[in-house]
Amino acid sequence: MSRLIDRIPQPEKMLEKKLIVLSRSRTGTFSIYQSLQMIGYKPYHMYECVMGGHTHMSLLNEALRNKYLGEGKPYDKADFDKWLAAYDTIVEIPAYFVEEFIEFYPNAKFILTERDLSAWAKSMNHIVSSVTQACHTFPLNVVRNIDGPIAAFIDVNDTFWQIIFHGRGPKAGMELAKSDNASDSELIRRLVPKDQLLVVKLEDGWGWEQMCPFLGIPIPEQKYPRGNAPAEFDKLLGGFVGGRLTAAGLKVLGTIVVPAVAIGAWIYNKQR
């Protein structure tokens, strides 16, 4: 079966990958994304993927399903280079392609932020049910039939849950998810040269003081971004969800759905 990535035109320019953030969702990745923008990097993160629309979300979904579910040829370096050509830093997405990104970009620096596994599991459990319900109830479950980006939004969300929880759902699959989290951390420590890897536990503190010396840059005067992430995501993603609902002729419903906690939580989960 033809892959979407094979139908994407070859970009004229590909940025060298300077930094790969191997951290999983719910471990401070959105703040990392924001901070890297502040100091001049060009990071690609789940937020960029969603705002990139149908094509970007579909590429991510294809890459995930081909690797984990055997639905097609797994992405190789040329595929990732094509998809991510406009970015010099990739955040969080590499957590699902650990060995690939370490092999494909050996000259990059790598960051891994970790979180207490019980706290991580609690955070995941808190949002899974509401996110799934939001994606599979009115209006999104109807709009997906007439709007490609909304369909891609729901599809990639479903794929993530299937992979993270091994198709068993959060109740039966959480221990497997925690085990994957721990084993990936061990794998990263084993594969990445020590002088190219920064590992930090969120509970020990994370900010400019940890990041900048590793990157070899001075600490900025601006404060490290630590805003109200759920509220920020409601606002940021409101443009995407509201725009798609408006395009589908549901402007009034869009004004109701956009601020909904479940939609913000979906993206918030992907960024932390």
Side-chain angles (χ1 to χ4, degrees):
M1 184 173 64
S2 175
R3 301 183 307 167
L4 174 61
I5 190 64
D6 297 324
R7 303 193 297 273
I8 300 297
Q10 193 69 23
E12 294 182 2
K13 182 180 179 181
M14 297 184 185
L15 294 183
E16 180 182 357
K17 301 300 178 276
K18 299 177 181 179
L19 178 64
I20 304 297
V21 180
L22 295 163
S23 309
R24 283 183 171 251
S25 304
R26 309 295 286 175
T27 61
T29 57
F30 185 63
S31 293
I32 293 174
Y33 164 70
Q34 291 177 306
S35 68
L36 290 169
Q37 288 182 314
M38 292 169 64
I39 56 179
Y41 285 79
K42 295 183 178 180
Y44 186 85
H45 174 272
M46 297 294 187
Y47 176 71
E48 290 278 339
C49 182
V50 171
M51 298 308 293
H54 182 272
T55 297
H56 277 262
M57 288 185 283
S58 296
L59 286 169
L60 174 56
N61 196 40
E62 178 177 77
L64 289 167
R65 297 187 75 84
N66 286 7
K67 174 179 178 176
Y68 289 94
L69 304 178
E71 294 188 358
K73 178 186 174 185
Y75 278 26
D76 57 20
K77 185 178 187 298
D79 298 327
F80 282 111
D81 283 345
K82 182 190 289 190
W83 171 18
L84 305 168
Y87 303 89
D88 62 17
T89 301
I90 316 301
V91 182
E92 187 180 319
I93 289 171
Y96 302 93
F97 305 94
V98 169
E99 292 176 282
E100 292 91 335
F101 273 81
I102 293 173
E103 176 186 349
F104 297 160
Y105 306 107
N107 297 322
K109 291 187 175 182
F110 296 83
I111 289 177
L112 173 65
T113 52
E114 299 178 320
R115 185 178 184 182
D116 174 79
L117 287 178
S118 295
W120 178 81
K122 182 178 180 180
S123 183
M124 291 289 287
N125 269 323
H126 182 69
I127 52 85
V128 170
S129 60
S130 61
V131 170
T132 302
Q133 182 178 9
C135 286
H136 293 282
T137 55
F138 187 80
L140 294 188
N141 66 332
V142 174
V143 175
R144 68 164 296 149
N145 296 315
I146 56 175
D147 187 85
I150 288 293
F153 179 89
I154 295 172
D155 287 344
V156 74
N157 176 66
D158 288 347
T159 296
F160 268 117
W161 294 145
Q162 186 174 0
I163 291 169
I164 291 170
F165 299 118
H166 293 251
R168 303 184 182 187
K171 185 174 182 179
M174 183 59 76
E175 289 305 313
L176 289 171
K178 290 165 65 177
S179 178
D180 288 344
N181 200 323
S183 61
D184 281 350
S185 292
E186 294 176 3
L187 179 66
I188 290 165
R189 285 179 167 86
R190 188 169 70 250
L191 294 181
V192 179
K194 290 184 178 181
D195 62 345
Q196 292 176 242
L197 177 63
L198 173 64
V199 179
V200 177
K201 290 186 177 296
L202 293 186
E203 290 81 4
D204 295 335
W206 170 256
W208 295 130
E209 294 77 8
Q210 292 75 30
M211 178 188 291
C212 291
F214 175 70
L215 297 178
I217 61 174
I219 295 176
E221 293 183 2
Q222 306 103 305
K223 291 184 179 180
Y224 187 83
R226 303 183 192 280
N228 183 344
E232 289 178 15
F233 277 117
D234 284 343
K235 181 178 179 179
L236 290 170
L237 269 295
F240 167 73
V241 177
R244 298 322 309 170
L245 291 177
T246 299
L250 296 173
K251 186 174 182 178
V252 175
L253 285 175
T255 63
I256 298 173
V257 174
V258 169
V261 173
I263 298 300
W266 184 92
I267 300 299
Y268 179 50
N269 166 63
K270 295 297 182 281
Q271 320 310 329
R272 289 299 299 269

